[in-house]
Amino acid sequence: MDGCIFCMIAGGVIPSPKVYEDELMFIISDIYPKAKKHYLMIPKKHYKLLADMTEGDAADLSRCLKKLPDLAEGLGLTNGFRLIINQGTDAGQTVFHLHVHILGGEELPI
Ligand code: 5GP
Ligand code: ZN
């Protein structure tokens, strides 16, 4: 998608080290971390919002989420992690390519 920063990272146009990558998604560290460990899990397919997902996209996202517990230790998230999906401007979404924030590495405030 033209002008989408996460599509540009996916395609290597903007360099950003990928801490994990498979055929469906990649994981990078957030450039402005809000916790000791703050990653973004980004589906390779561009869609803006949960409402824009096809059934296939939903199945793929589910498969991505299922992988996270196995990846957690390697990401320094041994004691747990929090997942956040910001939807729309009220939630503070700034990049309109669906992504999942993964926060942890410390005890997080409620
Ligand atoms: P949102 O606010 O849309 O839920 O989250 C977007 C996130 O992307 C923000 O936490 C922001 O810090 C992060 N971000 C924006 N641009 C870049 C970038 O170029 N590289 C990385 N690694 N993170 C970015
Ligand atoms: Zn995109």
Side-chain angles (χ1 to χ4, degrees):
M1 181 62 66
D2 282 354
C4 171
I5 196 157
F6 288 167
C7 284
M8 287 192 266
I9 290 172
V13 178
I14 295 176
S16 182
K18 299 180 176 80
V19 297
Y20 176 79
E21 181 172 16
D22 62 26
E23 74 282 10
L24 295 176
M25 56 89 162
F26 58 96
I27 299 176
I28 58 174
S29 293
D30 196 292
I31 201 167
Y32 298 119
K34 282 91 180 172
K36 197 165 174 189
K37 301 282 183 184
H38 184 173
Y39 301 101
L40 301 170
M41 184 180 80
I42 304 172
K44 290 185 174 176
K45 183 178 170 190
H46 178 98
Y47 50 94
K48 292 181 186 173
L49 298 163
L50 290 166
D52 298 328
M53 296 171 97
T54 64
E55 291 298 324
D57 296 334
D60 286 347
L61 185 63
S62 175
R63 288 175 59 202
C64 295
L65 294 173
K66 179 92 170 62
K67 291 184 179 180
L68 292 181
D70 288 336
L71 299 175
E73 189 170 339
L75 297 175
L77 302 168
T78 40
N79 293 322
F81 53 86
R82 180 175 295 162
L83 304 181
I84 296 173
I85 300 177
N86 292 322
Q87 287 292 282
T89 46
D90 276 3
Q93 185 175 5
T94 56
V95 179
F96 286 85
H97 173 137
L98 188 128
H99 53 282
V100 181
H101 294 260
I102 308 167
L103 299 154
E106 61 183 329
E107 195 168 331
L108 299 168
I110 301 294

